[in-house]
Amino acid sequence: MLRMFADNEEDLRAYIDLRKRARAAGAGIAAPPPPPPPESGKPCEFPLARRAAMRCAERAFQKFLGVETAEAAVDELRRRCNIASRKEFDRDAAARERWRAVDAEFGAWLRCADGDGDERG
């Protein structure tokens, strides 16, 4: 930065004076704020993207989505939530809400099914 002032001593002195006044006034550069707490009301040890990945590996979730494999579940989840990557669940509020809606629908579906995801008779 000092190269800018190498040919202009007056600007350098003005810059130094400005910095001194800013420090004296307490206008130093502050540390960035801490990240916001998770939006969920209950604590969770995994980010949503990780939870979605674990869900896709569950046979019942695959059955709920109408697919046969974890890879197909990932594809179907991306399609339903209109995302390119599950990481969007942790970065984008709209994607997060779409995930929560699918997960809530799955929970309701599970309550109406037996442990294997088969409809109760």
Side-chain angles (χ1 to χ4, degrees), residues 52-114:
M54 292 186 296
R55 264 296 183 239
C56 288
E58 294 176 17
R59 181 68 191 118
F61 191 66
Q62 295 166 17
K63 196 167 202 172
F64 163 74
L65 293 176
V67 298
E68 299 292 322
T69 66
E71 293 80 17
V74 170
D75 291 340
E76 179 62 16
L77 184 62
R78 286 180 185 146
R79 186 191 68 73
R80 285 188 184 203
C81 293
N82 193 28
I83 57 169
S85 168
R86 287 171 293 191
K87 290 179 182 178
E88 291 179 49
F89 295 143
D90 296 320
R91 298 178 185 152
D92 178 37
R96 187 170 24 258
E97 289 308 311
R98 290 190 297 268
W99 158 251
R100 288 185 175 141
V102 168
D103 197 41
E105 186 181 345
F106 171 62
W109 180 84
L110 264 183
R111 286 187 292 278
C112 295
D114 65 23

Side-chain angles (χ1 to χ4, degrees), residues 20 25 29 31 40 42 48 50 63 68 73 98 111 116:
K20 284 180 183 177
I29 298 173
S40 171
K42 58 184 177 182
L48 291 181
R50 176 107 183 254
K63 196 167 202 172
E68 299 292 322
R98 290 190 297 268
R111 286 187 292 278
D116 294 328

Side-chain angles (χ1 to χ4, degrees), residues 3-72:
R3 282 190 192 150
M4 292 182 352
F5 301 115
D7 295 331
N8 191 337
E9 187 177 331
E10 185 179 318
D11 285 347
L12 176 59
R13 289 186 189 281
Y15 173 77
I16 291 171
D17 184 55
L18 181 65
R19 293 288 297 163
K20 284 180 183 177
R21 284 188 279 144
R23 282 193 190 125
I29 298 173
E39 289 186 25
S40 171
K42 58 184 177 182
C44 177
E45 61 183 283
F46 298 114
L48 291 181
R50 176 107 183 254
R51 289 174 29 204
M54 292 186 296
R55 264 296 183 239
C56 288
E58 294 176 17
R59 181 68 191 118
F61 191 66
Q62 295 166 17
K63 196 167 202 172
F64 163 74
L65 293 176
V67 298
E68 299 292 322
T69 66
E71 293 80 17

